[in-house]
Amino acid sequence: MPSKDIQDGLEMNEGVKDGFRDPEYDPDLPRIVMNSADKKGVSPRDSDALNFTVNIYKNCRIRIYKPLIPLKLVLFFWYGGGSFVPPFLTVYFKQRGITLSELSTFFILSPICQFLGTILSGVAADKIGRSKPVLVANLLLATVFLSGILFIPRLNIPSCASQPINLKCHPQQFDRLITKTSCDVVENIIEVNSCNVQCPENVTEHCNGQNLICEILAESEMHRNFSLSIHVKGSYKAKDRCYYNVSSMYHENATYSWCNVPHKMNCRVSCVVDSGVNCSDEGDNRDALLITTMALFILFQTAYSNCYRFMDVTAMALVKEHNSDFGHERFFSICGILVVSPIAGYLVDATTTKGLDKNYLAAFYLFMVTVLIILVVVYKLEVRINPPGKKMWRKATYLLKNPDVLTFTLVIFVLGSAFCFTKNFMFWYLEGMNTPSFLIGLIPAVSALYGLPFLLTSRWWVNKIGATQIFILGLLGYVVNSLGYSFLKDPWYALILEATNVFTYHLLWVAVVLHSHELAPEGLTATVISTAGSIHYHIGKASGSSIGGFVMDAYNGRVAFRVMGIICLISAVLYTFYLYIRRTCFSRGLPAGAETDGQSNNVCANRTNR
């Protein structure tokens, strides 16, 4: 017979829900929205009035439940608008002068704050019995913090060393003199020194008139060390260097040029220009801006990820209230990614001036517009108000004693590590195989398309297979995916491997949210669902990135994918063994079909009470 601690843990679901039910909450009070019990009493005619039907072909039709249309719009715009912000923010930081090592520090620190922020937000939502205000607060905070990041000026790397500068004739318009140097040199009059001349042989045959090159070549002592004063007007950028048009050039108070002579003199003058900057002051200013940027980024990431977690919490509450299907709502999330994300990419390209840096601000403005739309729709979204959570610490203690909860946490952690490893390193790995950019952009879209039909039928899949079995299929999906990538020779076969995302992401997350809702005692639903998401996406991100990065750096990408595949295979075997032991030990003697997924705790509790 199990010990008392294990017995208490196994009785968590029903015991906690019954023992801690709020006596002050009257379930017969009028509801804000129609629940599943109300829907059963609705006549067929009224039921048709609550559905929006789209006829596709003959008897094939799609019925959309009207009271949940606002939820579908919220998920569509949030997942669509939120999908492109992280990648664009990364390249925006690079454009604004943040180094790779500094950006890595951002990503190392942010998961810790995201995890803590998610738990605190979940507790707050359960404490007040409402998830909607927490969702709205995080949407507003995410917008404010992102706006703060955009207001921070460029973080130029302080350079006390002299910058090289080269002068030569324009390759097409030979009578024009141009100079190339670092883009940090922004003065209209550039004082240069330590100049030297590089010319082809026999160039002096064409020397006549006031020509700087000829005079310098005639005086050997000045050949390698002279100074110039360069007056520039207008510039253009190519990669990380800037080209300036030289309007005039002075040497010893005389104006010179060698580009306006009858014969082309393919000479080049190489000099250095002192920065003339107080490096100490500039470095201190940059450090302050960097710390501010890091703080705003971490706060933005925390609020941004909380929005995802509370989209799940709010969607699950409405799904249960209206007896709907969580997968149907997720369907519109994926549609949002497929529709809105390409629009952001188009706006960036369309608003970028040729020859200048890409205008990533257009994508961020689009995100803010989608948040504004979401806030308007959320204001109209009617979410049931639950009784405020009470005795939450005691309920959490019971929850942590449940072996099902502990194994669920470990499985979600492994799944999250595998998810973040593949998302962070898959494209890096594929680029090493000279994968076309078109294919890299196509892979996420194909992965999303694979999941759409399964999301529409997710209720059938979860009921047929069971949530815990879907976790095992998710682990096995990562085994196939990781080992497949480790042996991949032709990158186009990645489109086939991405079919595993049906079980590693689409159906998996539906099962995770449903299973979290089943495990959660009354008054801890938001906390449990948001914590499950935080373990998967935040703690898993830190572990997956660390393990994957270390193995890829020490060995190579193929070894890293095989290591991740082996970890998932071992986890799948151990979790299957745990489920087998639990069901054979605690379900013996029960009628066939008495134990279903999500009811095992109650079964075990009944057995231990005999």
Side-chain angles (χ1 to χ4, degrees):
M1 182 173 180
S3 66
K4 188 176 185 305
D5 288 341
I6 296 179
Q7 179 179 343
D8 290 341
L10 294 173
E11 294 175 349
M12 180 277 305
N13 269 349
E14 299 301 324
V16 171
K17 290 182 179 180
D18 293 336
F20 293 103
R21 196 174 300 279
D22 188 358
E24 298 177 0
Y25 177 67
D26 185 0
D28 296 326
L29 288 174
R31 303 288 177 84
I32 294 177
V33 295
M34 181 178 291
N35 59 23
S36 57
D38 297 327
K39 288 172 67 177
K40 293 179 181 178
V42 176
S43 66
R45 182 176 179 180
D46 293 335
S47 179
D48 291 337
L50 291 174
N51 289 281
F52 177 74
T53 304
V54 178
N55 294 318
I56 298 178
Y57 177 74
K58 292 184 178 180
N59 294 328
C60 183
R61 64 186 63 180
I62 296 177
R63 302 182 68 183
I64 300 176
Y65 186 55
K66 290 182 181 179
L68 290 183
I69 288 179
L71 174 62
K72 292 173 172 59
L73 291 174
V74 168
L75 295 175
F76 178 89
F77 282 107
W78 173 252
Y79 277 80
S83 61
F84 57 79
V85 172
F88 279 135
L89 198 56
T90 300
V91 292
Y92 175 77
F93 281 149
K94 179 181 178 181
Q95 184 187 91
R96 304 300 290 176
I98 294 177
T99 65
L100 182 60
S101 60
E102 292 166 345
L103 190 60
S104 299
T105 304
F106 291 8
F107 285 114
I108 290 172
L109 296 177
S110 62
I112 301 172
C113 297
Q114 287 174 276
F115 179 73
L116 296 176
T118 299
I119 293 178
L120 291 176
S121 296
V123 171
D126 284 327
K127 195 67 178 176
I128 63 176
R130 304 173 66 187
S131 61
K132 180 176 171 180
V134 180
L135 174 60
V136 171
N138 280 288
L139 286 168
L140 292 173
L141 288 174
T143 306
V144 170
F145 294 140
L146 180 61
S147 302
I149 291 174
L150 302 183
F151 275 109
I152 294 179
R154 180 182 175 88
L155 281 71
N156 293 318
I157 299 175
S159 176
C160 302
S162 299
Q163 298 289 338
I165 184 169
N166 297 319
L167 295 103
K168 63 179 181 179
C169 300
H170 195 280
Q172 280 81 36
Q173 303 173 16
F174 198 77
D175 59 337
R176 286 174 50 200
L177 183 64
I178 60 173
T179 180
K180 179 179 73 171
T181 185
S182 167
C183 295
D184 295 331
V185 179
V186 294
E187 296 86 356
N188 292 327
I189 301 177
I190 306 174
E191 301 292 339
V192 299
N193 52 57
S194 302
C195 298
N196 63 80
V197 178
Q198 299 174 2
C199 289
E201 296 181 1
N202 302 324
V203 71
T204 55
E205 295 178 0
H206 306 289
C207 284
N208 55 12
Q210 195 176 31
N211 189 320
L212 174 65
I213 298 296
C214 294
E215 292 191 11
I216 291 173
L217 293 178
E219 302 180 24
S220 58
E221 68 274 7
M222 295 178 59
H223 190 194
R224 294 185 177 277
N225 190 7
F226 59 93
S227 300
L228 294 172
S229 179
I230 305 170
H231 294 232
V232 297
K233 182 179 181 181
S235 65
Y236 64 94
K237 185 176 181 181
K239 295 184 178 180
D240 59 342
R241 309 297 288 176
C242 283
Y243 292 81
Y244 299 88
N245 295 315
V246 178
S247 58
S248 58
M249 184 173 60
Y250 294 88
H251 173 61
E252 296 182 349
N253 298 323
T255 304
Y256 290 93
S257 178
W258 68 91
C259 296
N260 54 356
V261 296
H263 298 279
K264 294 182 179 180
M265 302 181 68
N266 295 318
C267 297
R268 185 178 69 175
V269 176
S270 299
C271 311
V272 294
V273 53
D274 293 328
S275 62
V277 176
N278 188 326
C279 297
S280 176
D281 293 342
E282 185 177 340
D284 292 342
N285 183 52
R286 187 182 187 281
D287 290 341
L289 290 175
L290 181 64
I291 293 173
T292 304
T293 304
M294 181 174 65
L296 288 173
F297 173 76
I298 292 174
L299 291 172
F300 166 75
Q301 285 285 86
T302 302
Y304 170 82
S305 60
N306 283 347
C307 291
Y308 278 98
R309 305 291 79 80
F310 280 89
M311 289 290 175
D312 288 338
V313 172
T314 304
M316 194 63 208
L318 289 171
V319 162
K320 288 295 182 181
E321 189 70 23
H322 293 273
N323 193 27
S324 183
D325 187 344
F326 183 73
H328 286 180
E329 314 311 320
R330 291 279 298 180
F331 174 88
F332 289 90
S333 304
I334 304 302
C335 289
I337 296 174
L338 293 173
V339 173
V340 181
S341 186
I343 295 175
Y346 170 77
L347 288 176
V348 170
D349 290 335
T351 58
T352 298
T353 304
K354 187 177 180 180
L356 299 180
D357 292 333
K358 286 195 173 183
N359 182 29
Y360 296 116
L361 294 177
F364 300 137
Y365 293 151
L366 176 62
F367 170 75
M368 294 177 186
V369 170
T370 60
V371 171
L372 181 61
I373 295 173
I374 292 168
L375 289 172
V376 173
V377 178
V378 167
Y379 178 76
K380 297 291 185 180
L381 194 64
E382 294 182 336
V383 184
R384 176 185 175 183
I385 300 176
N386 295 316
K390 294 183 178 181
K391 302 179 181 179
M392 297 174 64
W393 179 252
R394 189 176 176 188
K395 294 176 185 179
T397 303
Y398 271 88
L399 200 64
L400 294 175
K401 291 180 180 180
N402 187 346
D404 279 353
V405 174
L406 297 178
T407 53
F408 171 63
T409 302
L410 293 174
V411 168
I412 290 300
F413 170 73
V414 175
L415 288 167
S417 300
F419 173 82
C420 294
F421 167 77
T422 55
K423 295 303 176 186
N424 290 342
F425 295 103
M426 180 181 67
F427 295 115
W428 189 327
Y429 174 70
L430 289 175
E431 279 197 358
M433 302 172 64
N434 297 320
T435 303
S437 299
F438 171 75
L439 177 58
I440 290 179
L442 185 63
I443 287 175
V446 171
S447 174
L449 290 174
Y450 278 134
L452 291 181
F454 289 89
L455 289 174
L456 288 175
T457 56
S458 62
R459 174 183 286 182
W460 183 88
W461 285 98
V462 174
N463 291 338
K464 190 72 174 178
I465 302 175
T468 53
Q469 282 75 16
I470 289 179
F471 300 157
I472 296 173
L473 290 176
L475 290 168
L476 294 177
Y478 279 120
V479 173
V480 174
N481 183 277
S482 298
L483 294 181
Y485 273 108
S486 72
F487 291 103
L488 193 66
K489 299 295 183 182
D490 186 348
W492 285 94
Y493 285 111
L495 296 176
I496 299 176
L497 292 174
E498 286 303 299
T500 57
N501 270 352
V502 170
F503 293 105
T504 61
Y505 178 68
H506 298 290
L507 286 180
L508 172 68
W509 200 245
V510 173
V512 167
V513 174
L514 292 174
H515 194 63
S516 300
H517 190 275
E518 290 295 326
L519 289 175
E522 185 178 351
L524 279 183
T525 303
T527 303
V528 173
I529 293 177
S530 58
T531 301
S534 189
I535 292 171
H536 184 274
Y537 291 105
H538 304 152
I539 304 301
K541 179 179 181 179
S543 64
S545 300
S546 301
I547 296 172
F550 172 77
V551 177
M552 287 188 75
D553 184 57
Y555 300 96
N556 55 57
R558 297 187 184 276
V559 174
F561 273 99
R562 288 169 192 169
V563 168
M564 187 56 66
I566 292 172
I567 291 174
C568 291
L569 179 61
I570 294 173
S571 301
V573 171
L574 292 177
Y575 189 55
T576 303
F577 181 71
Y578 166 77
L579 293 178
Y580 174 78
I581 294 297
R582 187 196 64 179
R583 292 179 180 179
T584 54
C585 289
F586 298 105
S587 302
R588 192 175 302 161
L590 291 174
E595 182 188 1
T596 59
D597 192 67
Q599 297 176 331
S600 56
N601 288 331
N602 194 27
V603 170
C604 295
N606 290 337
R607 180 168 177 79
T608 54
N609 287 332
R610 290 178 183 175

